[in-house]
Structure formats: structure tokens, C-alpha cells
Amino acid sequence: MKKHFLLLLLSIVTLSFFSSCSNNSVSINDFATKAKDLVGQEVTIKGVAQHICSHSGRKLFLSPTEGGETLVTVFTNPDMKPFDKETIGKTYTVKGIVKITNTIDEGYLQEWERQVNASIAKGEAQEAEEHCGTENKAAGIEVDNNIENPELAQINAFRKKIEENNGQPLVFYHVECNSFEVE
């Protein structure tokens, strides 16, 4: 009987340990500084839905529940339904895996700029999508709205941010949602 009790106790302690390790709770304000160490790990993050991508509904931007300017991007996993656009302004608790969204360096920007300039030369320059403002805010960049092409404005803003980052590439992270609750 003692042996079974000890085995049961050991199982509970082991399960508790692994559950706590795989379910890190991260605040919106701490996400940017902790994300690089959490890549590939499951996290729980809670915030207010500021924007849901109107095209697909598969991208959600969360801000801190206590208010603030910081945004964390959340994508649905491929097997999930889109987020409901009617829930903007509501509080989400999201469980998901931290992933790298993109790494932006000068080479990336030069290629992007080349493509944009080629489109402009062909008269195919695209208009800014409605979510660019939210994307820019999430990336922590301020875009000069006086530049005619919004993509060139974004490229310039990223260059400035890289310069402020001592020439180091910018790495952006998101949470790929596995489940969520809306309050």
C-alpha cells in the first residue's frame, strides 16, 4: 500500500512539474523581452483584442488588460476557425506556441524595396492595407505618412529601427494559438 501511495505521489509531482513547465504565463508587456527564450514553448497570454485581421480573421492583436500601447500578435493554428471580429474590445486568454514571425535585416529590406520599386515602375503600386497601422504598431515602428508609397515608408521605418538596434536584425515573434477563451 505504501509503495502504491509513493508511486501515485511521484506521478502527481512529475505531472505537476511538466504541466507548469509547458504552460508559461506571460504578460503582454513582458512578451517582447521574453519571447526569444520561449520560442517553441507553450504560453498563456491574456489581453484585450485591439484588432482582428478583416481579410482572414486569423490574426489577432492583443494589448494589456490594464491598458498600454504594447501589442502581441496571435495567429490561429491551421486547424482553427478564424477569430470572431465581433469580439474586438473583449478580453482573450490564449494558449499557444511562441514562434518567430520574421527576421528583418538590410538584405531583406533591399529585396523588399527592389520589389516595391519594380511595382511602382510598372504602375502596379499597391495601396496600404487597412491593418498596416496595427502591424506597424505591433512592430514598434513609426511610419512617415508623408511618403507616397506606404511600403516604402515601412521600409524606411524598419531601417531606422535597425539603426537604433545598433545595426542588428529585428526579430519579431507571435503566438500560434491552440486554444482561447473570450470573456
Side-chain angles (χ1 to χ4, degrees), residues 97-161:
I97 306 297
V98 177
K99 296 192 173 191
I100 296 174
T101 308
N102 204 353
T103 300
I104 297 178
D105 60 10
E106 184 56 35
Y108 178 96
L109 294 176
Q110 288 175 1
E111 177 57 24
W112 184 10
E113 187 173 45
R114 185 193 65 71
Q115 291 172 3
V116 171
N117 285 328
S119 293
I120 291 171
K122 292 179 185 176
E124 300 171 354
Q126 296 188 3
E127 293 182 27
E129 293 183 34
E130 68 181 69
H131 67 277
C132 284
T134 307
E135 294 270 5
N136 294 336
K137 188 175 178 182
I141 62 170
E142 291 185 33
V143 175
D144 181 355
N145 293 323
N146 294 320
I147 296 176
E148 188 172 324
N149 184 287
E151 286 185 284
L152 291 177
Q154 286 179 303
I155 291 166
N156 290 340
F158 279 121
R159 280 200 172 108
K160 182 177 178 184
K161 187 122 176 130

Side-chain angles (χ1 to χ4, degrees), residues 5-182:
F5 177 74
L6 288 175
L7 187 57
L8 178 63
L9 183 61
L10 180 61
S11 297
I12 291 170
V13 169
T14 302
L15 184 60
S16 295
F17 173 76
F18 284 114
S19 294
S20 66
C21 288
S22 65
N23 193 8
N24 298 314
S25 184
V26 180
S27 75
I28 301 280
N29 288 325
D30 290 341
F31 184 79
T33 57
K34 293 183 176 182
K36 68 180 176 188
D37 296 325
L38 295 170
V39 172
Q41 295 182 40
E42 184 176 69
V43 297
T44 300
I45 194 160
K46 185 174 184 175
V48 177
Q50 291 299 315
H51 181 82
I52 295 174
C53 180
S54 62
H55 298 294
S56 67
R58 297 198 170 275
K59 192 185 305 182
L60 163 71
F61 295 90
L62 295 177
S63 67
T65 55
E66 62 277 359
E69 296 294 313
T70 305
L71 292 176
V72 170
T73 306
V74 179
F75 290 95
T76 60
N77 73 37
D79 299 325
M80 292 179 71
K81 292 181 181 178
F83 296 111
D84 181 357
K85 294 173 191 102
E86 299 299 316
T87 61
I88 292 174
K90 298 200 182 227
T91 300
Y92 273 73
T93 301
V94 172
K95 286 186 181 182
I97 306 297
V98 177
K99 296 192 173 191
I100 296 174
T101 308
N102 204 353
T103 300
I104 297 178
D105 60 10
E106 184 56 35
Y108 178 96
L109 294 176
Q110 288 175 1
E111 177 57 24
W112 184 10
E113 187 173 45
R114 185 193 65 71
Q115 291 172 3
V116 171
N117 285 328
S119 293
I120 291 171
K122 292 179 185 176
E124 300 171 354
Q126 296 188 3
E127 293 182 27
E129 293 183 34
E130 68 181 69
H131 67 277
C132 284
T134 307
E135 294 270 5
N136 294 336
K137 188 175 178 182
I141 62 170
E142 291 185 33
V143 175
D144 181 355
N145 293 323
N146 294 320
I147 296 176
E148 188 172 324
N149 184 287
E151 286 185 284
L152 291 177
Q154 286 179 303
I155 291 166
N156 290 340
F158 279 121
R159 280 200 172 108
K160 182 177 178 184
K161 187 122 176 130
I162 288 172
E163 185 179 308
E164 292 168 0
N165 197 33
N166 297 318
Q168 296 299 306
L170 305 173
V171 182
F172 297 99
Y173 304 90
H174 68 273
V175 175
E176 184 176 280
C177 181
N178 292 324
S179 65
F180 66 89
E181 293 178 15
V182 180

